[in-house]
Amino acid sequence: MEALSPQTLFTGQQLIWLTECPSTNTEAQLLAGQNRATDGCCVITDKQTAGRGQRGNQWEAAPGENLTLSVVWRPTFLPPADQFLLSQAVALAVHDWLSALLGPAPALRVKWPNDIFYGSQKLGGILIENTLSGAKIQHSIVGIGLNINQQQFGVPTATSLGQLTGRAYPLAPLAGRLLESLERRYLQLRAGRVGELRAAYLQVLYRFEEEHAYEAAGRPLRGRIVGVDATGRLALAVGRQIQHFDLKEIRYL
Protein backbone atom coordinates (compact mmCIF):
# COMPACT_ATOMS: atom_id res chain seq x y z
CA MET A 1 0.00 0.00 0.00
CA GLU A 2 1.30 3.48 -0.87
CA ALA A 3 2.05 6.03 1.84
CA LEU A 4 -1.01 7.16 3.80
CA SER A 5 0.33 10.50 5.06
CA PRO A 6 -2.52 11.34 7.45
CA GLN A 7 -2.68 14.97 8.58
CA THR A 8 -2.79 14.11 12.27
CA LEU A 9 -0.98 14.97 15.47
CA PHE A 10 -0.22 11.36 16.42
CA THR A 11 -2.77 8.88 15.05
CA GLY A 12 -1.11 6.89 12.28
CA GLN A 13 2.21 8.71 12.56
CA GLN A 14 3.74 5.35 13.49
CA LEU A 15 2.49 3.14 10.70
CA ILE A 16 3.13 -0.58 10.40
CA TRP A 17 2.00 -2.08 7.13
CA LEU A 18 1.87 -5.88 6.86
CA THR A 19 1.32 -7.74 3.60
CA GLU A 20 -0.56 -10.41 5.54
CA CYS A 21 -1.34 -11.19 9.15
CA PRO A 22 -3.89 -13.21 11.15
CA SER A 23 -5.35 -10.15 12.91
CA THR A 24 -4.28 -6.51 13.07
CA ASN A 25 -5.68 -6.36 16.61
CA THR A 26 -3.44 -9.23 17.67
CA GLU A 27 -0.39 -7.60 16.07
CA ALA A 28 -1.19 -4.24 17.68
CA GLN A 29 -1.69 -5.89 21.05
CA LEU A 30 1.74 -7.52 20.83
CA LEU A 31 3.39 -4.21 19.96
CA ALA A 32 1.61 -2.41 22.80
CA GLY A 33 2.54 -5.14 25.27
CA GLN A 34 6.21 -4.85 24.26
CA ASN A 35 6.12 -1.01 24.52
CA ARG A 36 6.93 -0.79 20.82
CA ALA A 37 3.75 1.08 19.89
CA THR A 38 3.53 4.84 20.25
CA ASP A 39 0.21 6.49 21.14
CA GLY A 40 -1.69 6.41 17.83
CA CYS A 41 0.30 3.57 16.26
CA CYS A 42 -1.59 2.05 13.32
CA VAL A 43 -1.24 -1.53 12.06
CA ILE A 44 -2.74 -2.08 8.62
CA THR A 45 -2.78 -5.08 6.31
CA ASP A 46 -3.89 -6.08 2.82
CA LYS A 47 -4.80 -9.58 3.91
CA GLN A 48 -6.18 -10.54 7.32
CA THR A 49 -6.54 -14.30 7.68
CA ALA A 50 -8.24 -14.55 11.08
CA GLY A 51 -9.95 -11.23 11.71
CA ARG A 52 -12.18 -11.06 14.78
CA GLY A 53 -15.54 -9.40 15.22
CA GLN A 54 -18.01 -8.84 18.03
CA ARG A 55 -19.40 -11.89 19.85
CA GLY A 56 -16.34 -13.90 18.77
CA ASN A 57 -17.42 -13.87 15.12
CA GLN A 58 -14.91 -13.95 12.28
CA TRP A 59 -14.59 -10.89 10.07
CA GLU A 60 -14.70 -11.71 6.33
CA ALA A 61 -12.61 -9.49 4.07
CA ALA A 62 -11.34 -10.24 0.55
CA PRO A 63 -7.56 -9.57 0.30
CA GLY A 64 -6.58 -6.20 -1.16
CA GLU A 65 -10.15 -4.95 -1.51
CA ASN A 66 -11.00 -3.54 1.91
CA LEU A 67 -9.61 -1.63 4.87
CA THR A 68 -8.48 -3.67 7.86
CA LEU A 69 -6.51 -1.77 10.47
CA SER A 70 -5.98 -1.31 14.19
CA VAL A 71 -5.01 1.80 16.13
CA VAL A 72 -3.28 1.78 19.53
CA TRP A 73 -4.36 4.59 21.83
CA ARG A 74 -3.53 5.22 25.48
CA PRO A 75 -6.67 6.85 26.90
CA THR A 76 -5.40 7.06 30.47
CA PHE A 77 -7.71 10.07 30.97
CA LEU A 78 -10.77 7.82 30.61
CA PRO A 79 -12.04 5.92 33.69
CA PRO A 80 -12.66 2.22 32.91
CA ALA A 81 -16.33 2.70 33.84
CA ASP A 82 -16.63 5.15 30.92
CA GLN A 83 -14.91 3.03 28.29
CA PHE A 84 -18.06 2.83 26.15
CA LEU A 85 -17.47 6.50 25.33
CA LEU A 86 -14.43 5.40 23.33
CA SER A 87 -16.63 2.98 21.40
CA GLN A 88 -19.06 5.80 20.64
CA ALA A 89 -16.27 8.14 19.52
CA VAL A 90 -14.82 5.54 17.15
CA ALA A 91 -18.21 4.64 15.67
CA LEU A 92 -18.94 8.33 15.10
CA ALA A 93 -15.54 8.83 13.46
CA VAL A 94 -16.24 6.04 10.97
CA HIS A 95 -19.74 7.43 10.37
CA ASP A 96 -18.26 10.92 9.77
CA TRP A 97 -15.75 9.49 7.31
CA LEU A 98 -18.36 7.53 5.35
CA SER A 99 -20.73 10.51 5.33
CA ALA A 100 -18.01 12.55 3.62
CA LEU A 101 -17.78 9.86 0.92
CA LEU A 102 -21.48 9.11 0.48
CA GLY A 103 -22.94 12.57 1.03
CA PRO A 104 -26.21 12.96 2.96
CA ALA A 105 -27.26 9.37 3.63
CA PRO A 106 -30.05 8.84 6.19
CA ALA A 107 -29.63 5.08 5.65
CA LEU A 108 -26.09 5.23 7.07
CA ARG A 109 -26.35 4.25 10.73
CA VAL A 110 -24.43 2.90 13.70
CA LYS A 111 -25.96 -0.35 14.87
CA TRP A 112 -25.41 -0.70 18.61
CA PRO A 113 -22.84 -1.01 19.88
CA ASN A 114 -20.63 0.00 16.96
CA ASP A 115 -21.35 -1.81 13.70
CA ILE A 116 -21.72 0.39 10.62
CA PHE A 117 -24.86 -0.26 8.60
CA TYR A 118 -26.36 1.08 5.38
CA GLY A 119 -30.04 0.27 5.51
CA SER A 120 -30.14 -3.30 6.78
CA GLN A 121 -26.71 -4.25 5.40
CA LYS A 122 -23.38 -4.17 7.19
CA LEU A 123 -20.64 -1.93 5.83
CA GLY A 124 -18.12 -2.27 8.61
CA GLY A 125 -17.33 -3.51 12.07
CA ILE A 126 -15.35 -2.26 15.05
CA LEU A 127 -13.70 -4.30 17.78
CA ILE A 128 -12.15 -2.41 20.70
CA GLU A 129 -10.03 -4.31 23.22
CA ASN A 130 -9.08 -2.40 26.36
CA THR A 131 -6.24 -3.40 28.68
CA LEU A 132 -6.72 -2.14 32.23
CA SER A 133 -4.04 -1.36 34.79
CA GLY A 134 -5.45 -0.61 38.20
CA ALA A 135 -7.99 2.19 37.86
CA LYS A 136 -6.78 3.21 34.40
CA ILE A 137 -7.04 2.03 30.83
CA GLN A 138 -3.44 1.20 29.97
CA HIS A 139 -4.09 0.99 26.24
CA SER A 140 -6.92 0.41 23.78
CA ILE A 141 -6.67 -1.52 20.54
CA VAL A 142 -9.22 -0.14 18.08
CA GLY A 143 -9.78 -2.64 15.29
CA ILE A 144 -11.74 -1.51 12.24
CA GLY A 145 -12.84 -3.52 9.21
CA LEU A 146 -14.57 -1.69 6.36
CA ASN A 147 -15.92 -3.12 3.12
CA ILE A 148 -14.61 -0.89 0.33
CA ASN A 149 -14.20 -2.54 -3.09
CA GLN A 150 -15.42 -6.09 -2.42
CA GLN A 151 -18.35 -7.03 -4.66
CA GLN A 152 -19.29 -10.51 -3.45
CA PHE A 153 -19.97 -11.64 0.10
CA GLY A 154 -20.78 -14.95 1.74
CA VAL A 155 -23.84 -13.41 3.38
CA PRO A 156 -26.60 -11.23 1.87
CA THR A 157 -26.52 -8.86 4.85
CA ALA A 158 -23.15 -7.33 3.86
CA THR A 159 -22.43 -4.51 1.42
CA SER A 160 -19.48 -2.32 0.45
CA LEU A 161 -18.79 1.29 -0.39
CA GLY A 162 -18.14 0.24 -4.00
CA GLN A 163 -21.46 -1.56 -4.25
CA LEU A 164 -23.28 1.52 -2.99
CA THR A 165 -21.57 4.01 -5.29
CA GLY A 166 -20.52 1.93 -8.30
CA ARG A 167 -16.95 3.19 -7.91
CA ALA A 168 -13.58 1.63 -7.15
CA TYR A 169 -11.47 3.34 -4.49
CA PRO A 170 -7.70 3.49 -3.90
CA LEU A 171 -7.30 2.31 -0.33
CA ALA A 172 -4.34 4.37 0.91
CA PRO A 173 -5.98 7.82 0.62
CA LEU A 174 -9.13 6.46 2.27
CA ALA A 175 -7.10 5.04 5.15
CA GLY A 176 -5.35 8.38 5.66
CA ARG A 177 -8.64 10.27 5.84
CA LEU A 178 -10.07 7.65 8.20
CA LEU A 179 -7.16 8.13 10.62
CA GLU A 180 -7.79 11.89 10.55
CA SER A 181 -11.47 11.34 11.33
CA LEU A 182 -10.60 8.99 14.18
CA GLU A 183 -8.25 11.50 15.73
CA ARG A 184 -10.83 14.32 15.56
CA ARG A 185 -13.37 12.33 17.55
CA TYR A 186 -10.72 11.02 19.94
CA LEU A 187 -9.58 14.57 20.69
CA GLN A 188 -13.20 15.53 21.30
CA LEU A 189 -13.39 12.73 23.87
CA ARG A 190 -10.05 13.70 25.41
CA ALA A 191 -11.29 17.28 25.77
CA GLY A 192 -14.20 16.00 27.88
CA ARG A 193 -16.94 16.89 25.39
CA VAL A 194 -18.85 13.73 26.25
CA GLY A 195 -22.31 15.31 26.09
CA GLU A 196 -21.73 16.15 22.44
CA LEU A 197 -20.52 12.63 21.71
CA ARG A 198 -23.50 10.98 23.38
CA ALA A 199 -25.98 13.24 21.58
CA ALA A 200 -24.31 12.70 18.18
CA TYR A 201 -24.30 8.92 18.74
CA LEU A 202 -28.05 8.84 19.33
CA GLN A 203 -28.65 10.91 16.20
CA VAL A 204 -27.12 8.19 14.01
CA LEU A 205 -28.18 5.12 16.03
CA TYR A 206 -29.85 2.38 13.99
CA ARG A 207 -33.55 1.92 14.87
CA PHE A 208 -33.48 4.76 17.41
CA GLU A 209 -37.02 5.58 18.57
CA GLU A 210 -38.49 3.01 16.14
CA GLU A 211 -40.67 0.04 17.09
CA HIS A 212 -39.05 -3.26 16.09
CA ALA A 213 -38.89 -6.96 16.95
CA TYR A 214 -36.09 -8.41 19.09
CA GLU A 215 -35.27 -11.60 20.94
CA ALA A 216 -34.07 -11.70 24.53
CA ALA A 217 -33.56 -14.79 26.71
CA GLY A 218 -34.97 -16.88 23.88
CA ARG A 219 -38.23 -14.95 23.82
CA PRO A 220 -39.50 -12.51 21.19
CA LEU A 221 -40.35 -8.96 22.22
CA ARG A 222 -41.18 -5.65 20.58
CA GLY A 223 -39.76 -2.37 21.71
CA ARG A 224 -38.18 0.98 20.91
CA ILE A 225 -34.50 1.77 21.36
CA VAL A 226 -34.53 4.89 23.54
CA GLY A 227 -30.85 5.21 24.42
CA VAL A 228 -27.68 3.66 25.77
CA ASP A 229 -26.65 3.87 29.43
CA ALA A 230 -23.23 4.96 30.72
CA THR A 231 -21.91 1.39 30.71
CA GLY A 232 -22.99 0.83 27.10
CA ARG A 233 -26.12 -1.22 27.73
CA LEU A 234 -28.93 -0.80 25.20
CA ALA A 235 -32.08 0.81 26.64
CA LEU A 236 -35.27 -0.57 25.14
CA ALA A 237 -38.77 0.69 25.89
CA VAL A 238 -41.01 -2.37 26.12
CA GLY A 239 -44.55 -1.25 26.88
CA ARG A 240 -44.21 1.13 29.81
CA GLN A 241 -40.93 -0.34 31.04
CA ILE A 242 -37.33 0.49 30.13
CA GLN A 243 -35.22 -2.65 29.93
CA HIS A 244 -31.42 -2.70 29.59
CA PHE A 245 -29.42 -5.29 27.66
CA ASP A 246 -25.75 -6.16 27.30
CA LEU A 247 -24.31 -7.24 23.94
CA LYS A 248 -25.04 -10.95 24.25
CA GLU A 249 -28.47 -10.53 25.85
CA ILE A 250 -30.48 -9.28 22.87
CA ARG A 251 -30.78 -10.11 19.20
CA TYR A 252 -32.20 -7.95 16.44
CA LEU A 253 -34.96 -9.60 14.40
Side-chain angles (χ1 to χ4, degrees):
M1 184 179 286
E2 60 188 272
L4 306 190
S5 303
Q7 302 300 304
T8 58
L9 296 174
F10 53 92
T11 304
Q13 292 303 310
Q14 181 189 11
L15 185 69
I16 297 167
W17 175 74
L18 302 171
T19 308
E20 177 179 332
C21 73
S23 161
T24 57
N25 261 33
T26 299
E27 296 295 330
Q29 192 75 260
L30 286 171
L31 289 167
Q34 296 166 355
N35 290 319
R36 293 168 55 206
T38 61
D39 192 14
C41 171
C42 175
V43 179
I44 189 166
T45 187
D46 274 339
K47 183 179 181 181
Q48 187 170 247
T49 57
R52 305 195 304 280
Q54 295 282 8
R55 303 174 190 256
N57 295 331
Q58 187 165 351
W59 178 255
E60 174 196 350
E65 295 184 5
N66 305 301
L67 285 179
T68 46
L69 60 86
S70 296
V71 172
V72 180
W73 277 327
R74 302 188 186 280
T76 53
F77 59 88
L78 191 65
D82 293 337
Q83 58 190 278
F84 187 69
L85 283 167
L86 181 62
S87 180
Q88 289 175 304
V90 171
L92 283 168
V94 176
H95 186 278
D96 295 343
W97 172 81
L98 280 166
S99 295
L101 292 166
L102 291 168
L108 181 64
R109 294 284 171 185
V110 175
K111 182 182 176 186
W112 174 84
N114 52 18
D115 280 339
I116 309 300
F117 266 55
Y118 191 91
S120 58
Q121 291 181 297
K122 188 171 180 177
L123 254 176
I126 297 164
L127 179 64
I128 301 176
E129 297 175 310
N130 296 312
T131 298
L132 306 183
S133 177
K136 286 188 176 181
I137 299 175
Q138 184 176 345
H139 60 256
S140 298
I141 309 298
V142 177
I144 300 173
L146 291 159
N147 301 328
I148 306 298
N149 294 318
Q150 189 168 337
Q151 294 295 315
Q152 295 184 330
F153 295 91
V155 291
T157 52
T159 190
S160 68
L161 186 60
Q163 282 187 332
L164 294 174
T165 64
R167 293 178 51 192
Y169 294 86
L171 296 179
L174 286 191
R177 303 298 80 77
L178 175 59
L179 291 169
E180 293 165 8
S181 186
L182 286 165
E183 185 169 279
R184 277 192 294 273
R185 286 294 187 178
Y186 183 73
L187 291 175
Q188 184 182 19
L189 174 61
R190 197 169 76 177
R193 293 158 55 193
V194 298
E196 294 173 37
L197 283 170
R198 288 190 172 116
Y201 181 82
L202 291 182
Q203 286 176 357
V204 300
L205 188 60
Y206 178 68
R207 291 188 177 182
F208 183 59
E209 291 288 10
E210 298 173 6
E211 183 95 5
H212 284 280
Y214 300 89
E215 183 183 282
R219 296 182 180 181
L221 57 83
R222 289 192 66 83
R224 284 182 303 113
I225 294 174
V226 293
V228 179
D229 73 8
T231 63
R233 294 184 305 165
L234 189 69
L236 200 70
V238 182
R240 295 184 178 182
Q241 288 187 328
I242 305 294
Q243 299 183 23
H244 292 88
F245 299 93
D246 283 321
L247 181 61
K248 296 181 180 180
E249 294 177 345
I250 189 167
R251 189 166 70 90
Y252 290 67
L253 298 177

